[in-house]
Amino acid sequence: MPSYQSIIYSKLPRVGESIFSEMSQLALKHNALNVSQGFPDFPVDPSLISLVHEKMKQGHNQYAPSYGLPLLREKIAQKIWNTTGIEYHPETEITITSGATQGLYTAISAFVREDDEALIFEPAYDSYVPAIKANGGLAVYAELEPDTFTYDWTKIKRAITQQTKVIILNTPHNPTGNLLTEHDLERLENLVDGSDIIIISDEVYEHMTFDGRKHVSPTSRPKLAERTVVVSSFGKVWHNTGWKVGYVYGPAELIREIRKLHQFLVFSVVTPIQHAYAEYIDREDTYLELSDFYQKKRDFFLSLMEGSRFSFRPSEGSFFQLLNYEGISDLPDEDFVKDLVKLNGIATIPLSPFYHLKTKGKNIRVCFAKSDETLEKAAEILCKI
Ligand SMILES: Cc1ncc(COP(=O)(O)O)c(C=O)c1O
């Protein structure tokens, strides 16, 4: 057996197992309650499952068109139009992907070349940086404000250079639950005006916003829309993250480049599910009622946490809630969450893995896309700490 270590020059030398897999495995080992990874623990709508089954039995089992089933793309265009009043052409401006992860990787690969800079905001969802690096790009990090996780646009301006090719946004934000505001978008528009910078906007939690807040996308401003590719995912909306179907949309010129790579990465996406989605998407309530559904979960969990020693600001969107443990322990966040699993039987996520250098912040992330019973148990454990 030859040693490949001397021949392979790893493109991602520091990438190991993700924190999500690590915490889930630790949870299993210690038989701990798992509120770490971002997936719902309640069932998929049985009528959607029947619909997929029906589509399989009808024979929709061979390759779908590479850019996605035309009917599904039409329905997505309709949905975007209904919810935002913005028009995207299904033929040229929308492509179905294998989850948002593939959408993100493909978009980043399409636009980031050797030595290009891609600006990301930390804490950042973990898939952006590896995709930038695997394409020879340089990740440039702008840190959100340590306590409020808001954007300091003066600082961000200094991070933008002639080499900046891409800016990656994420709203509603994983892990903080914050939303971008109109003011943020106005500042961003001024910053990128006159440049060739492309914006990749990760909006997988777009239908989960709370307390009357609205999701605002860069696509709502024509000057940003012309340079923005949005990445979205059905998995978060219909409680089926394992089905891995998402989509990207943006100006035809940008989507054309993404499609070139898409066809060689996956060629096409699971056919019967696309057929089922093209029908199920007509049920607007399934996404329009999601904010209420998750706000109830958030409120239920936070009402139970009232008596705890953790401090928190209610999440504005997504299905994540940060809890601050400053008043409880001096431990770094990664040690704190490991102790929580081993000593208290609950798995959460530290924020350090969302930074290229660890954070000194004392926050942990809890996923509240869980049954009320799980949330009750989680709060009961956390309130004893
Ligand atoms: C911010 C963000 N973007 C993208 C994804 C990936 O979505 P998908 O499961 O559709 O690949 C996730 C999943 O947790 C996420 O939190």
Side-chain angles (χ1 to χ4, degrees):
M1 184 80 178
S3 163
Y4 289 107
Q5 295 220 311
S6 55
I7 350 173
I8 297 174
Y9 179 61
S10 174
K11 289 187 173 180
L12 300 170
R14 285 201 223 128
V15 169
E17 195 178 29
S18 88
I19 185 67
F20 310 109
S21 317
E22 194 186 334
M23 290 314 296
S24 287
Q25 276 171 29
L26 211 58
L28 266 181
K29 186 172 160 199
H30 293 275
N31 200 17
L33 190 73
N34 192 353
V35 286
S36 62
Q37 213 171 347
F39 63 86
D41 74 349
F42 27 85
V44 176
D45 179 352
S47 73
L48 177 56
I49 292 181
S50 302
L51 206 52
V52 175
H53 195 193
E54 204 180 288
K55 298 298 175 191
M56 285 176 166
K57 286 193 289 185
Q58 283 169 2
H60 298 295
N61 298 304
Q62 307 309 328
Y63 295 128
S66 177
Y67 310 143
L69 197 70
L71 183 62
L72 179 57
R73 282 187 274 137
E74 275 167 37
K75 296 279 184 81
I76 290 171
Q78 192 63 52
K79 172 179 177 280
I80 299 170
W81 169 255
N82 291 346
T83 50
T84 65
I86 307 168
E87 204 171 347
Y88 283 91
H89 203 288
E91 241 169 67
T92 52
E93 298 185 315
I94 299 173
T95 293
I96 312 296
T97 57
S98 187
T101 308
Q102 187 239 316
L104 285 163
Y105 193 89
T106 315
I108 291 168
S109 306
F111 309 129
V112 175
R113 290 163 166 262
E114 194 85 19
D115 298 333
D116 282 343
E117 292 179 4
L119 180 65
I120 64 157
F121 300 99
E122 285 190 327
Y125 179 61
D126 70 342
S127 79
Y128 311 146
V129 174
I132 295 163
K133 290 192 172 164
N135 284 286
L138 303 169
V140 175
Y141 305 92
E143 199 173 317
L144 300 181
E145 294 303 282
D147 297 326
T148 55
F149 299 106
T150 49
Y151 295 77
D152 176 342
W153 291 100
T154 312
K155 209 161 73 182
I156 294 163
K157 187 174 180 188
R158 289 198 292 270
I160 294 178
T161 72
Q162 289 293 321
Q163 278 67 50
T164 308
K165 195 61 177 280
V166 160
I167 296 178
I168 302 179
L169 299 176
N170 173 212
T171 186
H173 187 253
N174 176 7
T176 66
N178 275 5
L179 301 185
L180 269 176
T181 62
E182 290 287 357
H183 169 75
D184 290 322
L185 292 180
E186 195 182 320
R187 296 294 302 268
L188 177 67
E189 185 174 311
N190 290 336
L191 274 189
V192 297
D193 193 28
S195 75
D196 295 328
I197 293 172
I198 293 167
I199 295 166
I200 298 175
S201 187
D202 179 347
E203 301 181 11
V204 301
Y205 300 105
E206 68 180 308
H207 295 300
M208 301 164 205
T209 60
F210 311 134
D211 306 314
R213 289 185 184 86
K214 293 264 171 288
H215 164 67
V216 287
S217 164
T219 58
S220 61
R221 305 176 80 88
K223 279 191 174 165
L224 288 177
E226 65 190 21
R227 57 173 84 235
T228 297
V229 169
V230 175
V231 180
S232 207
S233 173
F234 288 114
K236 309 287 180 184
V237 180
W238 290 329
H239 317 313
N240 51 10
T241 55
W243 292 14
K244 298 297 289 184
V245 179
Y247 51 98
V248 295
Y249 60 95
E253 218 182 326
L254 301 182
I255 295 298
R256 192 183 313 129
E257 281 311 306
I258 290 176
R259 286 179 171 184
K260 287 180 189 170
L261 290 169
H262 170 82
Q263 61 178 319
F264 299 113
L265 272 168
V266 291
F267 184 72
S268 64
V269 174
V270 56
T271 308
I273 293 181
Q274 289 195 63
H275 278 271
Y277 279 0
E279 243 175 88
Y280 193 72
I281 199 170
D282 290 338
R283 290 195 36 195
E284 287 187 345
D285 57 315
T286 57
Y287 52 88
L288 295 181
E289 287 171 10
L290 212 56
S291 287
D292 279 351
F293 175 79
Y294 275 116
Q295 184 170 328
K296 282 199 188 94
K297 295 242 168 245
R298 182 205 66 174
D299 290 348
F300 178 63
F301 176 62
L302 290 185
S303 70
L304 298 172
M305 288 297 293
E306 279 300 336
S308 82
R309 290 165 69 208
F310 290 91
S311 60
F312 47 81
R313 278 183 310 112
S315 165
E316 297 176 351
S318 79
F319 46 47
F320 300 114
Q321 174 65 49
L322 292 188
L323 299 175
N324 186 288
Y325 64 90
E326 225 160 65
I328 300 175
S329 167
D330 289 333
L331 282 178
D333 60 354
E334 288 171 311
D335 296 340
F336 184 73
V337 295
K338 279 180 189 151
D339 274 3
L340 281 187
V341 183
K342 289 179 204 158
L343 307 177
N344 306 91
I346 185 164
T348 58
I349 292 283
L351 254 59
S352 276
F354 294 81
Y355 291 83
H356 70 296
L357 304 171
K358 292 174 189 224
T359 174
K360 291 196 183 73
K362 304 257 182 293
N363 293 290
I364 58 171
R365 190 196 77 176
V366 169
C367 171
F368 55 82
K370 305 292 170 194
S371 68
D372 287 356
E373 197 193 344
T374 308
L375 294 176
E376 244 162 3
K377 277 189 201 147
E380 192 185 323
I381 297 173
L382 292 168
C383 281
K384 285 189 188 140
I385 291 161

